[in-house]
Amino acid sequence: MIPREKLHEGKAKVVYATDDAQVYIQDFKDSATAFDGKKKGTITQKGRMNNAISARLFALLEDAGVPTHFLGVETETAMRIRRLDMFKVEFVVRNVAAGSLSKRIGYPEGTPLKNPPVVECYYKDDELGDPLLCQSHLDELGVVSPEELARATELSKQVNSVLGAFFAERGVTLVDFKLEFGKDAEGVVRLGDEISPDTCRFWDSATGEKLDKDRFRRDMGGVEDAYAEILRRISD
Ligand code: TMP
Ligand code: ASP
């Protein structure tokens, strides 16, 4: 596939057009940001590792019946994806309290949720800092229809079941993660974006060690090793 013009450069990926209007290429970068881009850095080999991790997890989800945008691996750092019209909503799925949920409802980090998964919607709007939306906000904004919201919520829970079991077998607790959905040319709701240690919290089930981007966000060190460990655990 021949990449053509750059369509979009985000904080962690670049998306290119191809000669097929329905196929894009997404190339994963080593650069990392946190806190709405206020913290910046580089995670060596992150592009290669996140491409490999996302490819493996998208393939797993497709096999389990979750429609995704993944079409195939293109290069060490890039994958072919189906063009989607993305919803302006991020879905965060949580099994264990951590991060902003701990701050919001006062559960210490590591507290198992009583009725998992908690599924939250955030407004994809950088200027507003991606705020949490309640149902009335979603109704008012109208950025996703009730049917799209119901389908994306259902798929989010299915992704949680599939990935939760997959990681548990590999000694990793899937604490929480962020998903983005969109619609393809046929109107099918598909999972897009990426699934990687940038977008998930992964804790070693035995030791509780963090194996994700929190090591970068919280200046804990060992960031590259954590990503490499996740890639190692999922490579069979
Ligand atoms: P949070 O606890 O900071 O709300 O994060 C919940 C999950 O969502 C966590 O796995 C990290 C992921 N996430 C992103 O992928 N992108 C973001 O911009 C944020 C804030 C969180
Ligand atoms: N990627 C987001 C940002 O730049 C936040 C995060 O993952 O923590 O700010």
Side-chain angles (χ1 to χ4, degrees), residues 95-107:
N95 300 298
V96 177
S100 70
L101 183 71
S102 289
K103 290 206 182 95
R104 197 180 313 280
I105 68 173
Y107 285 17

Side-chain angles (χ1 to χ4, degrees), residues 181-199:
F181 295 90
K183 268 189 168 170
D184 69 13
E186 277 79 52
V188 176
V189 175
R190 291 181 177 274
L191 177 62
D193 196 53
E194 66 178 281
I195 313 170
S196 73
D198 273 18
T199 62

Side-chain angles (χ1 to χ4, degrees), residues 11 36 90-94 98-102 104 120 122 130 175-180 193 197-201 213-214 217:
K11 288 175 278 205
D36 287 330
E90 298 185 350
F91 292 77
V92 170
V93 183
R94 304 178 184 269
S100 70
L101 183 71
S102 289
R104 197 180 313 280
E120 299 170 332
Y122 291 83
D130 295 347
V175 172
D176 58 32
F177 54 96
K178 185 262 302 177
L179 302 175
E180 298 187 27
D193 196 53
D198 273 18
T199 62
C200 304
R201 285 195 173 94
K213 193 178 166 188
D214 270 348
R217 296 188 188 98

Side-chain angles (χ1 to χ4, degrees), residues 1 16-18 20-25 71 80-83:
M1 207 106 230
Y16 297 93
T18 69
D20 182 336
Q22 297 307 322
V23 179
Y24 289 169
I25 288 174
L71 293 172
R80 286 185 304 286
I81 58 170
R82 217 181 279 259
R83 188 185 74 76

